[in-house]
Amino acid sequence: MSTHKDFPNLHILDHPLIQHKLSHMRKVSTSTKTFRQLLKEIALLMGYEITRELPVSYEDIETPICAMKAPVIQGRKLAVVPILRAGSGMADGLIELMPSARIGHIGLYRDPETHMPVEYLVKLPEVEGRTFILVDPMLATGNSAVAAIDTLNKYGVADKDIRFMALVAAPEGVKVFQDAHPDVPIYTAGLDEKLNEKAYIVPGLGDAGDRLFGTR
Ligand code: URA
């Protein structure tokens, strides 16, 4: 995992396995089935990295040999929150890794006039004492991610209890994000070059939702 000189809270997960899978996802020739599978696999590998600092508590257990105090993660104290719809493809990988985690949903659509995100669904678990992993494959303009974190704040989740995970990020989006929520770490597999005039990430991988669900 490496950090970026211009963005102190951006962590790039440059593990070769993650990078290899991401390169396949970027290819225009990759099928929906493979894209979906790879997104899940990458999310799982990213999840392994971003949970490195999770606190553990100690439980009394019996091995076949003796009693011991064994470290365990409080899975029920974690929440995975996909931003719909493409975030759900990443959430699948994290849930496989942390099956006891609670799952929330934040649904946003883009207003055709203002191009700003509009919230249409919020379902969250109890927030008290919980760490929230917010996921969206593409951190493009940063507006959806900021809106989703504003929503979490409104429901009582502090920035210090949030981590944001994106497959690919654009510098423009990272800046918007970090100006709004400097204390929320961003984890991504790739920091790309820029946004184009339609706010797609370049080189990116196209529309993540369409590629994940086979729509257009
Ligand atoms: N959303 C996507 O799905 N792809 C992009 O490149 C930008 C936003």
Side-chain angles (χ1 to χ4, degrees):
M1 184 153 59
S2 64
T3 47
H4 192 278
K5 66 176 173 44
D6 298 331
F7 303 120
N9 235 347
L10 177 71
H11 306 276
I12 300 172
L13 302 184
D14 48 10
H15 191 290
L17 271 175
I18 294 177
Q19 295 303 315
H20 176 84
K21 289 172 192 290
L22 174 57
S23 297
H24 276 296
M25 292 186 74
R26 290 183 187 275
K27 289 183 196 164
V28 66
S29 55
T30 296
S31 69
T32 298
K33 176 172 179 269
T34 305
F35 188 92
R36 194 177 291 152
Q37 179 64 30
L38 290 171
L39 183 59
K40 188 171 164 182
E41 289 173 11
I42 291 181
L44 195 146
L45 292 168
M46 289 179 77
Y48 181 75
E49 285 281 359
I50 76 172
T51 51
R52 190 177 284 281
E53 310 294 333
L54 280 181
V56 291
S57 56
Y58 287 84
E59 199 175 274
D60 290 311
I61 66 162
E62 296 275 343
T63 77
I65 310 297
C66 66
M68 71 172 284
K69 284 197 181 298
V72 290
I73 291 173
Q74 301 280 310
R76 266 174 263 111
K77 285 293 172 194
L78 280 172
V80 175
V81 181
I83 301 177
L84 301 177
R85 69 186 161 141
S88 67
M90 281 191 103
D92 289 347
L94 290 177
I95 294 158
E96 194 155 305
L97 190 66
M98 300 172 285
S100 326
R102 298 298 193 252
I103 303 161
H105 291 92
I106 296 180
L108 301 171
Y109 71 87
R110 197 203 252 204
D111 183 293
E113 310 256 297
T114 64
H115 301 295
M116 291 305 284
V118 181
E119 189 180 288
Y120 66 87
L121 175 87
V122 181
K123 270 289 186 190
L124 297 174
E126 171 66 49
V127 303
E128 192 55 41
R130 207 179 293 281
T131 298
F132 283 72
I133 305 176
L134 184 66
V135 295
D136 193 356
M138 309 304 274
L139 178 59
T141 62
N143 294 333
S144 301
V146 168
I149 294 175
D150 291 345
T151 296
L152 289 177
N153 291 163
K154 199 169 73 194
Y155 280 74
V157 188
D159 280 5
K160 70 172 178 45
D161 296 320
I162 304 171
R163 290 144 202 228
F164 183 74
M165 188 168 121
L167 182 64
V168 180
E172 296 90 330
V174 176
K175 173 145 191 1
V176 166
F177 186 109
Q178 294 210 326
D179 286 348
H181 293 283
D183 296 329
V184 177
I186 304 171
Y187 298 88
T188 188
L191 179 65
D192 276 10
E193 203 183 310
K194 59 176 182 181
L195 291 182
N196 70 12
E197 61 296 342
K198 292 187 174 155
Y200 278 93
I201 298 177
V202 180
L205 46 74
D207 187 302
D210 283 346
R211 297 205 59 193
L212 178 65
F213 295 109
T215 51
R216 40 186 318 209

